[in-house]
Amino acid sequence: MNLFLVSVLLAAPMPAAERVIIDTDCGYFGDDGSTLVMLLRNEAVRVEAITIVSGNVWADDALRNAKEITRLAGHGEIPVYLGAELPLRHTLEMAEQEKRRWGPMEFRGAFGVPRPVAKEPLRRVAAVSEIIRRVERNPGQITIAGLGPLTNVALALRQRPDIAGKIRRMVFMGGQLRVKGNSTREAEFNFWFDPEAASAVLRSAIREKVMFGLDICNRAMLGKKGFDEIVKVETPVTKRFREDFGVRYPEFLKNPKAEVSLWDALVAAWMIQPRLFGRPEELYLDVETDFGPMYGKVKLAGRDAEPGAAPVSMMNNLNCAAVYALFRDLLREKR
Ligand code: RIB
Ligand code: CA
């Protein structure tokens, strides 16, 4: 390389880090925990806040988990705000009816465990008002990484529809189009838990919506070999990862044939290294909100179904080995 080129490269400004709010239903560690760690540990992204929603677990538990994991990853300074405890419409009673009438049901998340006694209601709005406040103050600057049901984002859009045009982009894990669901036969968990919220976000005017559904997630699997590579480096983060993925789900320490999707971690991998993914498919999408066996299923929508709606960029292809290597390296990092 000649000297001129070297000096030009050195003088070129680094692209500014993408400013992100992570909205998560964080379990004990799981894919949400891995995603938090990945997003906190790289230069491409600046995590400004974490907002919590019920999904995998009830919001109170998710709050505790996210705070603990953020601290283990060396970023205890990032603010974490409690958000919606309940979906917009879906209830435990409805979920039980669905199981009875249209089961089997693979995963129910928080709907499968007793709900903690409600605390004072004001704390619940913190996440929603923080999303609104931060987007309002920084129009076009803030990306939302949605790792759980989209209740908080839908509530923010409902309260302040004008923020749709001020969100830089929404990158989320949820839904599926051409493969079967993982909650009910027809629906993916995040969308099933709050179908009305998912529908509001897909039909919104947020200009860039990048979707990682089960169609791509089912091809990004972590197996025992990958698990072993991560846990052989012992750090506070990998210890918690080992405890969760080894003993709880998918039980790598008990069953060497176990495997699990990287799910939410694809959101982080794409934000950090988009070139590891193929071009998206641009589609107008919606979610079934009629209460029946299809509740929560993604469906194609007409271009004119919702005035002002922007299409969804559905991700379909990835370089699995490279995405796994990124995942492994960020989780094993000693900081
Ligand atoms: O369907 C996968 C989604 O639900 C992920 O967000 C994961 O955390 C799970 O609970
Ligand atoms: Ca999640």
Side-chain angles (χ1 to χ4, degrees), residues 31-32 56 107 147 173 182 188-190 214 263-264:
D31 58 325
D32 291 77
N56 276 320
F107 181 56
L147 313 181
M173 190 280 137
N182 63 356
E188 179 281 329
F189 175 73
N190 288 339
L214 294 180
W263 287 318
D264 300 344

Side-chain angles (χ1 to χ4, degrees), residues 16-250:
E18 186 163 355
R19 301 172 62 182
V20 175
I21 297 175
I22 305 176
D23 190 57
T24 172
D25 60 336
C26 197
Y28 185 75
F29 193 86
D31 58 325
D32 291 77
S34 304
T35 310
L36 288 180
V37 172
M38 292 172 80
L39 288 174
L40 290 166
R41 287 184 170 173
N42 74 89
E43 314 300 319
V45 169
R46 191 168 93 211
V47 178
E48 302 204 343
I50 298 172
T51 54
I52 299 295
V53 67
S54 287
N56 276 320
V57 293
W58 291 110
D60 278 333
D61 291 333
L63 180 79
R64 195 172 339 102
N65 294 331
K67 280 189 171 167
E68 184 64 18
I69 294 165
T70 305
R71 196 182 60 74
L72 292 179
H75 285 279
E77 80 286 359
I78 310 270
V80 185
Y81 301 99
L82 191 62
E85 187 182 6
L86 294 172
L88 299 183
R89 171 177 167 229
H90 208 181
T91 60
L92 177 59
E93 293 69 33
M94 287 162 79
E96 275 164 6
Q97 203 188 131
E98 287 164 78
K99 190 169 179 216
R100 212 170 41 246
R101 293 174 65 185
W102 308 300
M105 195 173 273
E106 248 179 68
F107 181 56
R108 286 196 288 170
F111 279 155
V113 293
R115 184 170 153 215
V117 181
K119 308 261 167 50
E120 49 101 7
L122 261 187
R123 294 188 329 141
R124 304 286 166 204
V125 299
V128 176
S129 50
E130 271 307 312
I131 290 173
I132 295 172
R133 189 179 73 82
R134 286 168 185 267
V135 170
E136 276 290 326
R137 283 207 179 163
N138 307 281
Q141 302 284 310
I142 305 291
T143 291
I144 301 176
L147 313 181
L150 295 172
T151 321
N152 288 333
V153 183
L155 285 169
L157 290 170
R158 191 183 268 185
Q159 277 181 36
R160 291 293 302 273
D162 57 304
I163 65 162
K166 298 178 183 164
I167 294 170
R168 175 176 171 185
R169 56 186 173 186
M170 175 87 216
V171 188
F172 60 93
M173 190 280 137
Q176 97 284 4
L177 196 59
R178 302 179 183 108
V179 298
K180 75 177 191 58
N182 63 356
S183 227
T184 64
R185 245 191 317 260
E186 302 296 340
E188 179 281 329
F189 175 73
N190 288 339
F191 278 25
W192 169 80
F193 197 80
D194 196 339
E196 283 74 13
S199 168
V201 172
L202 292 190
R203 290 155 54 119
S204 75
I206 298 174
R207 54 184 154 233
E208 191 180 350
K209 291 171 280 206
V210 184
M211 168 171 154
F212 290 85
L214 294 180
D215 306 66
I216 185 167
C217 293
N218 288 355
R219 282 184 280 129
M221 302 303 289
L222 178 70
K224 168 82 168 137
K225 187 164 164 270
F227 168 83
D228 286 345
E229 271 191 336
I230 292 166
V231 300
K232 78 177 176 212
V233 177
E234 203 178 293
T235 71
V237 163
T238 60
K239 271 169 79 175
R240 190 156 169 131
F241 173 88
R242 181 180 188 277
E243 198 184 331
D244 200 18
F245 282 77
V247 181
R248 293 165 178 233
Y249 180 76

Side-chain angles (χ1 to χ4, degrees), residues 269-320:
W270 183 80
M271 292 182 72
I272 300 166
Q273 285 194 26
R275 65 187 173 76
L276 302 183
F277 294 82
R279 288 171 72 85
E281 195 179 355
E282 302 295 326
L283 298 167
Y284 286 87
L285 298 176
D286 195 359
V287 175
E288 183 58 64
T289 52
D290 282 349
F291 187 59
M294 306 291 179
Y295 192 47
K297 182 180 170 64
V298 174
K299 56 185 186 181
L300 291 168
R303 195 187 179 87
D304 308 320
E306 183 74 26
V312 178
S313 305
M314 180 172 154
M315 303 304 296
N316 288 317
N317 295 302
L318 78 167
N319 176 339
C320 286

